[in-house]
Every structure is written in structure tokens, then in C-alpha cells.
Amino acid sequence: MSQLNKLPGGLWPVMLTPFTPTNHVDTAGLEKLTRLYIDAGSSGLFANCLSSEMYQLTREERLEVCRTVVKAGAGAVPVIATGTFSRDVSDNIEFIHRLHDTGVDAVVLITSMLAEPDENEEVLMHRLEQILNGTGTIPLGVYECPVPYKRLLSPALMGWMAATGRFLYHKDTSCNSGTLDRKIRAVAGSNLGFFNADTATALDSLDSGADGLSPISANFYPELYSYLLREYRSGGRTDALNRLHAFLTMMDRTTHNFYPYAAKVFLQRRGLPIQTVTRIPAETPGNADQIRLHSLMDSFHALADQYSIPSVL
């Protein structure tokens, strides 16, 4: 099968979805957020993902989000989006076509939506083949999303997907350097872009040949991740880069608390005109959690000053 063009490596943020005070999709806020990611140095955008509260969106809202991001991006970077929300293969195929018609560059398949926890990888491969056969030449991606459950892919299945020529993006959630290395080697030389979701193993995965990163902390300070990736590409894994990575790894422990609500609070405090409304139920952070979030902001500003990165939006 002929190979599709490889997606650019680098930072691929997993996008948030801003909502209005009346809990509708805030398309104006989403346009501003899209430009923020691009201005921060992102190489591509993953819309309609778990960070986007995709399971809390209606089918039409998912399409609206993708159309908005594609239009706001105006071709500056490629856009991908999730297209599997059912156990029914034909339903997924129909929505993949509709989603691709919004202008996204690839449609992402959720591994845990295509097979039950007790079904083996042969079943998953069969479902992937059905989707390949039913979607023509639409470029695809795959995401080891932790919801409804985390289903990791084997290096062998990764190699098979790469060989089809149809898969261009993989968001990996293995969070283990050895596993990442084996999976990256399985797709080496192909057009299947490998993007690590985990900050702690970010540099290890880049050493192994990963194409880039897709961490949730990039919804707080994408500029720092873009800087990390640029510096790695230009000079490799230096002592200075290890120190920055150490800070990002420690900061990453805070960004996972009250997410995605905390990310919206953080961006709002940075100056992005969006609401902090989420459809995922969120408790009000307590005093200690508020202190941690303020400390996260202080840490970001300190690093931004050190690396001459604008920190106010």
C-alpha cells in the first residue's frame, strides 16, 4: 500500500474545549485557544480528544469543535481528531467519514473502544482491518486512551499498523521507557508518527526515536514543551535540557489534579479569555491545592524568564 505523507514531529497538544457560562461550546474561545497552541510552537493539534471532554460532547458538537479548529488554524498546522465512540464498527466508519469531511488531516481510533478488555489482540486487529476497508484512503491515527479503559498496543501490532501505510499518528500512554523503546523500534522507518503522552519518559522516548510529545501539561504551558523539543533537535540531550526536563516532570504531578478544570483556570490566569466551565464534574480545589496551582504558575514564570519565553497571553 502506498504511504501517506508523514505528519510533522514536535509538540501535538491534546486540546481543551472551552465552554460558555451556559455550558455550550465556546467557538470564539476555541479559536483563541487554537491560535495560542500554534503561536506557542505546536507542530500539530489533536482536537476532540479526552482532554477536549470528548465523551461529554454530542456527536454534532464533536464535528463543530473540529470544524472550528480547522478553520481557526487556517492550514498553519495539521489537525487530527477522534472518530470512534461506539463498539459498532459500521457506526464508527460512518462517523470517521463525517469527521474527515470537517477538514481534519487524520482521524484517530481509540484502542479501548474497538475491543473489550477480555478480547485479544487478534480481535482488535480484525476490527482495525474492518475500519481500514471501510474508510477508503482516509489517514488514521490511534490513541491508547485510558477511558473507557487503557488498552496498550504490542510492538507487533504497532509494526502491522505501520506496514498498512494508513496510520500516521500514535499517542502512546505506556509510561515505561523500555516499552516505549520496543514500540518505537517496531515502527522505525515508517510514516507512523510516534508521540509520547508522558512527561517523565519524554527524553527517553526522544532518545529512542519518538517523533514528539502529546502531554496534557502542554495545556498549561505549551511553550516550555516546544522549547524542550527544539533544543533536543538542535543539541540532543544536554545537562541543561535534563534540568529543564526535571522541572517539567515535577510540575507534571500538579497538572493532573482537577484536570481539565485546572488547565482552564491556569490559562485564564495567563490571560486567555475563556471560562473555567467543564462538563467533567470537578470538585472545588482546597486551600493546599490552590497553593499548588499558584506555585505551578510561579514555576512556569520562572522558567519562562530563564528561557526568554513570553508568559502572558
Side-chain angles (χ1 to χ4, degrees), residues 152-171:
L152 300 179
L153 303 176
S154 70
L157 186 55
M158 293 285 301
W160 174 83
M161 289 192 303
T164 69
R166 289 279 303 283
F167 289 92
L168 301 185
Y169 174 92
H170 168 67
K171 181 181 176 182

Side-chain angles (χ1 to χ4, degrees), residues 180-252:
L180 287 161
D181 181 70
R182 289 188 290 274
K183 292 164 81 170
I184 291 167
R185 284 191 283 111
V187 302
S190 75
N191 280 359
L192 176 50
F194 195 103
F195 296 85
N196 185 7
D198 181 48
T199 295
T201 57
L203 289 183
D204 285 351
S205 66
L206 294 175
D207 284 344
S208 293
D211 295 280
L213 304 173
S214 287
I216 69 168
S217 293
N219 281 316
F220 293 75
Y221 29 77
E223 301 90 341
L224 296 182
Y225 284 91
S226 294
Y227 180 89
L228 179 92
L229 286 157
R230 287 197 304 271
E231 290 298 301
Y232 183 89
R233 284 179 173 175
S234 64
R237 190 168 182 170
T238 62
D239 288 342
L241 204 60
N242 281 330
R243 286 193 292 273
L244 172 59
H245 178 247
F247 280 110
L248 291 176
T249 299
M250 290 186 292
M251 293 161 68
D252 192 64

Side-chain angles (χ1 to χ4, degrees), residues 7-35:
L7 295 173
L11 177 63
W12 283 69
V14 283
M15 296 184 66
L16 302 170
T17 300
F19 297 106
T20 67
T22 55
N23 205 20
H24 294 89
V25 173
D26 177 9
T27 54
L30 184 56
E31 290 171 356
K32 293 181 176 66
L33 181 61
T34 300
R35 290 192 287 271

Side-chain angles (χ1 to χ4, degrees), residues 270-287:
R270 287 192 59 191
L272 186 70
I274 61 170
Q275 302 294 318
T276 60
V277 177
T278 61
R279 292 185 181 176
I280 295 175
E283 298 178 5
T284 302
N287 177 250

Side-chain angles (χ1 to χ4, degrees), residues 282-298:
E283 298 178 5
T284 302
N287 177 250
D289 297 303
Q290 292 285 2
I291 291 171
R292 292 187 185 97
L293 194 56
H294 282 292
S295 297
L296 183 69
M297 183 68 77
D298 290 341

